[in-house]
Amino acid sequence: MKRAFCLAAAIACTTLTQPAYAAAQDETAALGGAAAVSDLPPLYKAELDRARSFVDQMMEQGVVLPQPKDPGGGYTHEQHKRNYKAIYLAGQLFQITGEQAYADYARDMLLGYADLYPTLGEHPARKNQGPGRIFWQVLNDAVWLVHSVQGYGDIRDTLSDADRERIDNDVFRRAAYFLSVESQATFDRIHNHATWATAGVGMTGYLLGDRDMVDRALKGSDKTGKVGFLRQTELLFSPEGYYNEGPYYQRYALMPFMVFADAIERNDPEQGIWEHRDGILLKALRTTVQLSYGGFFFPFNDAIRDKSLKTDELYHGVAIAYAQTGDPSLLSIAEFQDRTILSKNGRLVARDLAAGKAEPFPFRSMLFGDGPEGDEGALAILRQGPMNANGEPSTVLIAKNTSQGLGHGHFDKLGWQLYDNGNEVIRDYGAARFLNIEAKEGGRYLPENTSWAKSTVAHNTMVVDERSHFDGKVKIGNQNAPTQLYFSDAAGLQVSSASIDTAYYGVALTRTIVMPDIPGLEAPIVLDLTRGESDKPHLYDLPLHYSGHIIEHDLAVQNFTAARPVLGEANGYQHIWADAIAQESDGKGALTWLLDGRFYTYRFAADGALDVVLGESGANDPNFNLRREPLIMLRANRPTGSVSIAALLESHGSYDGAAEQTVSSRSRIAGMQHAHVDGKDLVEITLKTGQRFAIAVSHNKDAQAAHSVVLEGETIAWSGFAAVIPLKGEES
C-alpha cells in the first residue's frame, strides 16, 4: 500500500513537494535501511543512538498503559509522556533502520491505546484548565497527539487492514474528535493550547486522508478562518515574529507551528505556508533565538527559568528552518544544542555541520514590535561588549515595553533586565511554579504566581500607591499597551524609551534607558530615567531586583535585626521583608554589590526626598514556594503628584578569590546630579579623575533637532534624542 500523505519530514517520506533548500539535497532524502546506518554524520548518529537507547529500554518494559489519574509529574502522567515519545521515536527508528521490531512495538502500544482510549472520560486530576482524557489538561492530550500521529505515520503502511482500521478509529479519530469538537472552546482559541490542538488534528487529517479534519485545523471548527492554525499565525506573532505571550511560550508554541507547517508544505504546497504573512514562521524561529542569553531564554512573563535553546521544540525548529532556508547561522545554533532530530531535515543539519558550513548567529540589538500589527508596545534588546563564548555580545539589556501577554503576562509595563559577564544582574522572577514536580501543587502554577510573581512590585518598574498595573486585572491589561517612543541601536549610545498612561488612572509613566559609552568608565553603563506624572498625590516605588552580595552603601540605614518587618499587606508587598530602611532627604544614594567576580554600583538621584528599602522576597510563604532574592526599592511620597528619578548602574573592577586579588571594588564616579528641565533630562556625572560628562535626553525623535539647556550657569547643547557631552573638568 502506498502512503498518500506525509508527516514530519520522515526520511522515507519523499513522495510530495520538499522544502526549498532540502529539495536540492538529494543525498539526504533516504538512508536506504540498515546498510546505510553506519555512514552517518556524527550529530545524527549520536541522535540515533540516543533514540535506540530510549526505545530499547521501553521495549524491555513492554507496553505499559496505566489508567490516567495523576497531575503533572505523577506516575501516570509521566508514563504516558514516555509512551508518546516512544511511539514517535520507534516510528522513526523503523524508517531509518528497517528493523521490524520497532514498528511492532509502536503498533502494540497503539493497539493498547485503542483499548484504553474509548473508556476514558474527564481526567480525575482536572482543575481549572480544560480537562484532558489521558492527561489532566487538554493541552497535554494535544501534545500526545502531535507526537503519536507522527510515529504512527511511519508504521501505518506495515499494519494489517484490521489493525490499521482499529487504530485509525479508536485512537486517532477519537483523539481528534475530542480535541476539535468536545474541546472546541480550546480548539478555537488564539492561544498556544489551540496551536498544539490544531496541529495534532491537522496532521491526523493528513494521515487519514480526512480533508474535513484538515480544514477545521487550518480554519477553525466553523472553517471560516476567523480562528484556526492560519489565524493563529496572524494574531499571535508581531510582524517581526515576536510571540505575544513571551519567550518561554514562544519556544513552547514553536514546535507545533513548525512541525505542522512542515506537514502542510508536504501535503498542501499550494497553501504556501512558509511564505504566509511574509514568512512569519521562519521569522519567529530566528526571533526565538534572539530572545536568549547564554542559550537561556529571557525569563519574563510566566517563564520557567531553566528553559534554553537546548530543548526539543528548538531541535525541531532549527532543523526544519534550516531545511527551508539553508541559513548557515542556524548551524551554529545546532552546534550549541549538540542535538538534532531523526528526520531528513535533521540529517541535513548534521551533514552540513560536519562539513564546516556553520556561521555565527547574528545576535544584535533589535526592536520587536508586539501585537499582530506591531503597534501594541515593543520589546527592545540592547547588546554591547565583546563576544562571549556563545558568539554573542557579553552584555544585553531587555526593555520590556510589551503588551500584557494574555493570561501568562505579568503586570510589569516598562520593566527591564540586564545580563552581563554571563550572569543575570538585574533579574526577572519568572513564574512561581515547579513544573511537573507533583509535591508542588501537582506541578501547576502556585498561588504565589498571582500574589508575587505577576505583581508589579516583583519587577523592575514603577509601582504607584502599592497597586499592580491595571489593578492586576488581565482583561484590562490586554486592552492597553505601552507606546514605544524611541529606539536606537547606535554604537556607543543605545536607547529605548516608552510610556504608558493606562497602567494607573490619572498617572502617566515614562521610562528611558540609555546604554552610553563614557570615557573612563567600564562597560556596561546603564542610565535609567523614570518619571511618573499626575496632578494628584501618590506614593511611587521603584524596585530593583538584583543578583549579588552587598559590599557597601552610603545610606543612613535603620537596620531591622531583632525582627524582620513585612513591607505591606497585598499586591506582592506581603512577600517582601524589609531588612533596612534609609531616609535620604536629598534623594541620593548608592549601593554596591558583587556578582561572580564583578562589582556593580547602583547610584540614584531623585527630584526630592526618598526612602530607600533594602529587602528580600519570601515573606508570608509558609510552604517555601518562593526564592529568596534581594532588592532595593526607592520610595517617593509626592504630595505634588509627580516624580522623576535618575539611576545609573555601573560595572567596575574584578575580584579573584582564588588569587586573593581585588581591583577597583569602588565606583569610579564621584557624584551624579539630575535635572528635568522643560521636558528634557540631564544627568551630570563627575568621575573621581575630575572628568565630567552630561548625558542629555531631549525626548525628541528628530535627529536634526538642536537643543540647549542652561544648568547652573553652564550651557549644555546637543542634537537629536540623546547625547553624551564632555563638560569642563574639575581638579582631580
Side-chain angles (χ1 to χ4, degrees):
M1 178 184 293
K2 183 177 180 180
R3 182 170 47 186
F5 296 92
C6 298
L7 297 178
I11 289 173
C13 183
T14 60
T15 60
L16 297 179
T17 304
Q18 297 181 359
Y21 179 71
Q25 313 300 312
D26 292 338
E27 64 270 32
T28 70
L31 289 177
V37 169
S38 60
D39 184 25
L40 293 174
L43 186 64
Y44 194 89
K45 178 62 164 57
E47 204 63 49
L48 183 66
D49 292 343
R50 186 178 291 109
R52 274 188 183 275
S53 176
F54 173 76
V55 177
D56 288 353
Q57 290 179 34
M58 292 289 289
M59 291 170 65
E60 288 178 7
Q61 298 171 12
V63 173
V64 180
L65 294 171
Q67 184 72 24
K69 68 180 182 66
D70 298 317
Y75 164 69
T76 64
H77 180 97
E78 294 303 313
Q79 182 62 40
H80 287 292
K81 283 176 59 179
R82 287 189 288 270
N83 287 352
Y84 72 62
K85 180 180 177 182
I87 294 168
Y88 170 67
L89 291 176
Q92 292 183 318
L93 287 170
F94 168 69
Q95 288 288 342
I96 295 167
T97 68
E99 295 179 27
Q100 186 63 36
Y102 291 122
D104 292 346
Y105 173 69
R107 176 203 62 203
D108 292 345
M109 181 77 78
L110 288 169
L111 287 173
Y113 275 108
D115 289 334
L116 176 66
Y117 200 92
T119 70
L120 300 178
E122 287 191 353
H123 195 281
R126 62 190 179 274
K127 205 168 184 182
N128 54 346
Q129 286 91 344
R133 294 289 187 263
I134 302 172
F135 299 93
W136 69 279
Q137 61 172 341
V138 68
L139 167 64
N140 299 88
D141 279 51
V143 176
W144 183 96
L145 182 58
V146 167
H147 287 82
S148 297
V149 75
Q150 293 179 77
Y152 183 44
D154 285 332
I155 68 156
R156 188 170 180 266
D157 291 349
T158 71
L159 303 181
S160 67
D161 290 344
D163 285 347
R164 185 183 307 110
E165 182 178 4
R166 189 160 165 238
I167 294 171
D168 283 358
N169 294 333
D170 285 342
V171 180
F172 289 100
R173 288 194 182 278
R174 283 180 180 271
Y177 184 82
F178 167 64
L179 290 175
S180 61
V181 178
E182 295 179 298
S183 303
Q184 182 182 336
T186 296
F187 190 77
D188 284 343
R189 293 179 69 188
I190 302 298
H191 190 270
N192 75 78
H193 290 202
T195 306
W196 281 98
T198 54
V201 170
M203 294 169 73
T204 301
Y206 282 134
L207 183 64
L208 303 185
D210 189 326
R211 190 70 220 184
D212 176 71
M213 201 180 288
V214 170
D215 288 343
R216 279 187 282 132
L218 293 176
K219 300 177 182 179
S221 59
D222 62 2
K223 303 181 188 177
T224 64
K226 294 179 181 178
V227 292
F229 183 81
L230 295 177
R231 192 59 173 155
Q232 289 172 35
T233 68
E234 295 162 358
L235 295 181
L236 284 174
F237 295 103
S238 75
E240 295 86 9
Y242 175 78
Y243 185 72
N244 185 257
E245 294 180 280
Y248 178 82
Y249 279 95
Q250 175 148 348
R251 174 272 322 166
Y252 185 61
L254 193 69
M255 182 172 171
F257 273 119
M258 298 295 285
V259 170
F260 188 28
D262 203 38
I264 293 169
E265 178 69 16
R266 293 171 182 280
N267 294 284
D268 274 345
E270 67 277 6
Q271 290 280 352
I273 188 63
W274 295 116
E275 292 76 37
H276 183 65
R277 202 185 164 204
D278 195 28
I280 190 63
L281 292 179
L282 294 172
K283 286 182 181 180
L285 182 280
R286 292 186 175 94
T287 295
T288 306
V289 178
Q290 290 284 357
L291 300 175
S292 67
Y293 178 84
F296 287 87
F297 296 112
F298 304 143
F300 56 77
N301 288 349
D302 277 347
I304 305 301
R305 302 174 59 84
D306 302 325
K307 288 296 183 180
S308 74
L309 298 174
K310 296 182 179 183
T311 185
D312 194 46
E313 296 88 355
L314 267 294
Y315 304 149
H316 284 79
V318 168
I320 293 169
Y322 182 70
Q324 285 296 319
T325 65
D327 179 358
S329 72
L330 293 177
L331 293 176
S332 68
I333 302 304
E335 185 175 33
F336 170 80
Q337 294 171 323
D338 198 29
R339 293 289 302 273
T340 190
I341 57 176
L342 290 179
S343 71
K344 177 175 61 63
N345 298 333
R347 192 183 182 207
L348 180 61
V349 166
R351 189 205 66 182
D352 287 0
L353 188 58
K357 295 183 179 181
E359 295 181 5
F361 188 84
F363 289 101
R364 55 192 175 91
S365 297
M366 299 184 74
L367 182 71
F368 296 101
D370 196 1
E373 302 301 324
D375 56 0
E376 298 176 21
L379 183 76
I381 301 177
L382 308 179
R383 299 184 189 267
Q384 71 169 29
M387 295 295 181
N388 61 22
N390 296 317
E392 59 184 326
S394 58
T395 301
V396 59
L397 184 148
I398 304 101
K400 187 174 180 284
N401 307 320
T402 58
S403 63
Q404 180 63 29
L406 305 178
H408 287 300
H410 288 191
F411 299 97
D412 58 346
K413 305 305 100 179
L414 314 189
W416 69 292
Q417 297 168 250
L418 181 75
Y419 292 84
D420 179 56
N421 192 36
N423 299 295
E424 188 180 13
V425 181
I426 306 302
R427 302 178 60 87
D428 189 289
Y429 191 88
R433 183 185 189 185
F434 292 82
L435 183 63
N436 277 0
I437 297 180
E438 189 177 8
K440 289 293 191 180
E441 296 280 332
R444 304 180 180 99
Y445 288 102
L446 298 164
E448 290 79 9
N449 198 57
T450 299
S451 64
W452 170 250
K454 287 190 175 187
S455 69
T456 302
V457 76
H459 300 85
N460 307 303
T461 191
M462 185 163 275
V463 190
V464 180
D465 298 330
E466 296 190 357
R467 293 159 38 223
S468 284
H469 295 170
F470 314 117
D471 272 331
K473 296 177 181 177
V474 174
K475 184 176 181 179
I476 298 174
N478 285 331
Q479 296 169 350
N480 297 277
T483 299
Q484 184 75 30
L485 302 173
Y486 183 76
F487 174 81
S488 173
D489 60 357
L493 191 65
Q494 300 190 69
V495 183
S496 171
S497 183
S499 67
I500 187 168
D501 60 7
T502 54
Y504 298 101
Y505 179 77
V507 181
L509 303 177
T510 303
R511 192 168 213 173
T512 299
I513 296 179
V514 184
M515 291 184 72
D517 284 347
I518 305 292
L521 295 181
E522 300 177 51
I525 299 296
V526 178
L527 175 64
D528 171 24
L529 299 169
T530 304
R531 185 167 179 80
E533 295 182 275
S534 177
D535 57 5
K536 299 286 174 52
H538 291 290
L539 173 66
Y540 295 93
D541 288 334
L542 189 63
L544 189 81
H545 301 264
Y546 63 91
S547 301
H549 191 93
I550 293 176
I551 299 300
E552 64 178 351
H553 59 78
D554 64 2
L555 307 171
V557 299
Q558 173 189 1
N559 293 100
F560 302 112
T561 55
R564 211 177 187 194
V566 176
L567 201 57
E569 298 179 354
N571 303 318
Y573 284 79
Q574 73 273 28
H575 293 302
I576 299 175
W577 279 306
D579 292 313
I581 293 180
Q583 295 179 331
E584 303 296 327
S585 59
D586 62 356
K588 295 180 181 179
L591 172 75
T592 297
W593 65 84
L594 174 66
L595 176 63
D596 193 20
R598 185 166 293 186
F599 297 93
Y600 297 89
T601 294
Y602 180 64
R603 186 179 302 275
F604 50 87
D607 60 352
L610 289 176
D611 287 346
V612 182
V613 179
L614 301 180
E616 187 178 53
S617 61
N620 287 305
D621 179 26
N623 295 318
F624 304 98
N625 287 335
L626 294 176
R627 299 188 302 271
R628 276 53 174 159
E629 297 177 348
L631 65 91
I632 178 174
M633 179 186 291
L634 311 182
R635 311 200 76 178
N637 197 336
R638 293 293 184 263
T640 57
S642 297
V643 67
S644 184
I645 300 174
L648 187 77
L649 184 67
E650 171 198 2
S651 168
H652 55 91
S654 63
Y655 172 69
D656 185 336
E660 301 180 6
Q661 184 177 44
T662 303
V663 177
S664 300
S665 64
R666 288 195 162 92
S667 170
R668 299 183 181 185
I669 297 174
M672 182 177 80
Q673 306 287 334
H674 171 231
H676 187 79
V677 181
D678 298 330
K680 304 173 181 64
D681 280 286
L682 288 102
V683 176
E684 179 188 325
I685 299 171
T686 302
L687 307 189
K688 290 180 178 177
T689 61
Q691 295 171 285
R692 296 171 60 236
F693 297 90
I695 304 173
V697 180
S698 68
H699 303 286
N700 187 323
K701 292 188 288 186
D702 184 354
Q704 306 303 317
H707 313 282
S708 66
V709 172
V710 177
L711 194 61
E712 296 182 354
E714 188 171 11
T715 300
I716 301 173
W718 74 101
S719 61
F721 192 92
V724 176
I725 306 156
L727 302 176
K728 183 178 179 181
E730 299 177 348
E731 293 296 328
S732 61

